[in-house]
Amino acid sequence: MEIFVLQDVAFINPANVVFVYMLVRELVHEDDVDCEQDLQAVVLTCLYLSYSYMGNEISYPLKPFLVEDNKEKFWDRCLLIVNRLSRNMLRINAEPGFFTEIFTELKACGTNAGITTATTASAVGTTAA
């Protein structure tokens, strides 16, 4: 007999934040965002994909990530992101140097905004499984 134990594992860790940042930086540009709802839709889709790609669960509920009433728009956006960024999604886990490059860029954004954290120094070299 096998016993499976479910554990709560925090999703928000440095590796996952770097993954989300990588997606958002490629998709969100000032001249492309028409309104706050469009921005929210893209960011929430990136979060959903990050949970799905790097999370520990088999599936996640869709509703918290939806902004529009039309689920088809959400799935179209998911496919667009995966088709456009799947290479980098694979690279960030396979190539420590690529992860470090993205992490360093994100860290510089936080430093430029006057944000510092104690965990940033320990996150370099950490990639998600």
Side-chain angles (χ1 to χ4, degrees):
M1 177 194 276
E2 291 184 41
I3 298 175
F4 294 98
V5 178
L6 297 177
Q7 297 177 344
D8 280 339
V9 178
F11 176 77
I12 301 299
N13 62 51
N16 292 340
V17 171
V18 170
F19 188 88
V20 171
Y21 169 75
M22 177 191 70
L23 296 180
V24 171
R25 77 162 191 182
E26 294 296 326
L27 298 166
V28 176
H29 305 283
E30 280 186 55
D31 51 338
D32 295 341
V33 179
D34 293 329
C35 65
E36 186 177 325
Q37 184 177 0
D38 290 347
L39 175 62
Q40 185 179 19
V42 170
V43 171
L44 287 174
T45 305
C46 290
L47 280 171
Y48 179 83
L49 289 171
S50 298
Y51 276 108
S52 299
Y53 184 74
M54 297 180 66
N56 296 307
E57 297 294 327
I58 294 170
S59 65
Y60 290 93
L62 184 59
K63 191 170 184 168
F65 300 94
L66 291 176
V67 175
E68 306 105 347
D69 292 330
N70 184 349
K71 288 182 187 177
E72 193 170 315
K73 280 185 169 184
F74 174 83
W75 292 118
D76 287 345
R77 196 168 36 255
C78 284
L79 289 174
L80 175 113
I81 293 168
V82 169
N83 286 334
R84 184 171 164 193
L85 298 175
S86 61
R87 180 172 180 252
N88 284 348
M89 292 166 72
L90 294 170
R91 273 186 76 198
I92 201 164
N93 285 314
E95 298 176 26
F98 183 64
F99 174 89
T100 302
E101 177 186 324
I102 303 296
F103 177 79
T104 302
E105 182 181 317
L106 174 59
K107 187 176 172 185
C109 291
T111 303
N112 292 340
I115 301 169
T116 57
T117 65
T119 59
T120 54
S122 64
V124 174
T126 304
T127 58

